[in-house]
């Protein structure tokens, strides 16, 4: 039996202030295209597995919800025999994602957002074999009850309890057929993509041994493709798009084949094509405008991050670069003067947090003038006039 695995869509994601709805539509079209291709080759998929983080936010944008709705409608219309499995990740709102779940269930669309029916699988059948599919949403403390009334709070013990419950029920009722599980978690030994480091951090990790006993485990939460065990029977597909310029530009969905007779599984990568690939460029401003101009033309359709290495950064550098790089999304200043300026970030933060108008104004002057310029009479006069006005306003407020 054949499954298509993809995860962590993060529909509605904003990437450096760029709305990625168009890019995400391009990705979803490829998923449908792969399912159509398999049917044309007379080797169809039985299910699409999407283990979590469907949306980027608990309260998704209208564009994001419409994108998911359109995808489900198209899949249900063009490929009604393909079961779709969606579970809630840590970015999803369980209540929002589960809306209409009972109706969808009748259309082979399965949303799992709570732990009420963990041990009740969806049994998939074709002419040759049967497979049981289970789903475990992202588990929060106390979301699973223990058998000894001990409160379960840690991720490891939560997933141990969930998997034990599922496997006991499977052994009792469906022991003759393979068991596939979808789950959303951070497994021990996982290599993170840059786009997770800011929010995964020291999040609790789970040993993938909890999935021993399942024929295959489709995992979500980590944005980088990787197998999690020696047999390659537990895997993260990773996100379909890079969500950080330090993420790998190569992304994948997984073609998973389950053999019911031997209860074995094999997952093979299928690369996604990006509507706007990402690239990082480094150099001096003049280089991009002159000798590297032809190189820049090759990246017209790319999302670009540029690191400028000029000792002194020309005012308006971002605007200048954007005139030749329409999809420039990030500019990093690496030159010696830029590095010197970056040291004042903490001072700026402290000035803003003080809510002292004089301190804020003095910091503003320090940001736009050099040390020599700050000593000039005209700047000194500006400071005196501002302080005088600020004191007048403060006195009037009293």
């Amino acid at each position: 039996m054949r499954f298509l695995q993809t995860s962590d869509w993060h529909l509605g994601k904003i990437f450096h202030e760029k709305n990625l709805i168009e890019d995400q539509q391009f990705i979803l079209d490829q998923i449908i295209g792969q399912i159509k291709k398999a049917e044309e080759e007379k080797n169809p998929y039985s299910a699409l597995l999407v283990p979590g983080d469907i949306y980027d936010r608990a309260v998704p944008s209208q564009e994001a919800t419409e994108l998911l709705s359109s995808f489900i409608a198209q899949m249900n219309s063009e490929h009604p025999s393909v079961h779709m499995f969606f579970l809630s990740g840590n970015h999803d709102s369980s209540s929002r994602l589960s809306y209409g779940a009972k109706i969808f269930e009748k259309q082979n669309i399965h949303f799992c957002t709570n732990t009420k029916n963990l041990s009740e699988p969806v049994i998939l059948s074709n002419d040759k074999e049967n497979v049981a599919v289970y789903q475990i949403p992202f588990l929060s403390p106390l979301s699973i009850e223990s058998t000894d009334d001990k409160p379960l709070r840690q991720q490891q013990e939560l997933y141990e309890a969930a998997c034990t419950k599922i496997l006991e029920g499977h052994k009792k009722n469906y022991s003759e057929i393979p068991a596939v599980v979808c789950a959303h978690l951070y497994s021990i030994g996982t290599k993170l993509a840059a786009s997770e480091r800011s929010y995964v951090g020291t999040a609790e990790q789970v040993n993938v041994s909890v999935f021993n006993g399942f024929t295959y485990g489709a995992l979500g939460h980590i944005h980088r493709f990787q197998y999690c065990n020696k047999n390659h029977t537990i895997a993260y597909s990773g996100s379909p798009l890079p969500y950080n310029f330090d993420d790998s530009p190569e992304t994948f969905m997984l073609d998973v084949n389950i053999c019911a007779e031997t209860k074995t599984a094999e997952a093979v990568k299928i690369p996604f094509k990006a509507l706007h690939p990402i690239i990082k460029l480094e150099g001096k401003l003049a280089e991009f405008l002159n000798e590297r101009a032809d190189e820049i033309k090759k990246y017209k359709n790319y999302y670009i991050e540029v690191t400028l290495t000029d000792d002194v950064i020309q005012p308006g550098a971002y605007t200048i670069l954007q005139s030749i790089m329409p999809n420039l999304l990030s500019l990093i200043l690496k030159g010696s003067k830029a590095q010197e300026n970056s040291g004042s970030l903490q001072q700026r933060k402290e000035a803003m947090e003080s809510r002292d108008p004089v301190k804020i104004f003095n910091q503003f002057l320090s940001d736009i003038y050099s040390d020599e310029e700050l000593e000039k009479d005209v700047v000194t006069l500006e400071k005196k006039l501002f302080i005088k006005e600020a004191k007048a306003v403060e006195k009037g407020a009293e």
Side-chain angles (χ1 to χ4, degrees), residues 53-93:
D53 282 355
I54 314 302
Y55 292 122
D56 188 57
R57 294 180 294 174
V59 182
S61 66
Q62 180 178 343
E63 288 177 309
T65 57
E66 288 177 350
L67 189 57
L68 179 61
S69 178
S70 296
F71 174 83
I72 291 175
Q74 185 177 353
M75 277 289 297
N76 187 248
S77 173
E78 298 177 4
H79 311 285
S81 64
V82 178
H83 288 251
M84 289 180 271
F85 292 87
F86 299 95
L87 60 82
S88 54
N90 58 303
H91 277 248
D92 300 307
S93 163

Side-chain angles (χ1 to χ4, degrees), residues 8 10 13 53 90-91 195-201 203 221 223:
D8 294 85
H10 288 274
K13 178 78 173 178
D53 282 355
N90 58 303
H91 277 248
S195 52
E196 290 120 28
R197 291 176 193 143
S198 60
Y199 64 85
V200 171
H221 190 44
H223 293 179

Side-chain angles (χ1 to χ4, degrees), residues 125-151:
S125 303
N126 57 24
D127 295 336
K128 301 177 181 178
E129 51 199 1
N130 301 311
V131 172
V133 179
Y134 299 88
Q135 295 196 87
I136 307 174
F138 181 75
L139 297 178
S140 55
L142 307 179
S143 58
I144 298 282
E145 293 184 3
S146 67
T147 55
D148 58 3
D149 295 326
K150 174 189 174 184

Side-chain angles (χ1 to χ4, degrees), residues 5-8 50-53 87 90 138 182-187 218-223 235-238:
Q5 177 187 344
T6 173
S7 183
D8 294 85
V50 191
D53 282 355
L87 60 82
N90 58 303
F138 181 75
C182 303
H184 194 88
L185 71 155
Y186 178 16
S187 66
L219 304 186
H221 190 44
I222 302 303
H223 293 179
Y236 288 100
S237 64

Side-chain angles (χ1 to χ4, degrees), residues 94-117:
S94 297
S95 59
R96 292 177 185 275
L97 198 62
S98 64
Y99 179 78
K102 291 184 179 180
I103 298 174
F104 287 137
E105 194 76 26
K106 298 176 182 179
Q107 305 297 322
N108 294 340
I109 305 165
H110 315 281
F111 282 93
C112 178
T113 59
N114 59 59
T115 60
K116 292 180 181 178
N117 303 307

Side-chain angles (χ1 to χ4, degrees), residues 172-221:
K172 179 180 179 181
N173 301 305
Y174 307 100
S175 60
E176 72 282 0
I177 67 175
V180 170
V181 63
C182 303
H184 194 88
L185 71 155
Y186 178 16
S187 66
I188 293 175
T190 298
K191 296 179 180 178
L192 299 181
S195 52
E196 290 120 28
R197 291 176 193 143
S198 60
Y199 64 85
V200 171
T202 57
E204 293 178 46
Q205 299 179 52
V206 178
N207 194 313
V208 293
S209 63
V210 299
F211 299 112
N212 291 347
F214 291 98
T215 303
Y216 184 77
L219 304 186
H221 190 44

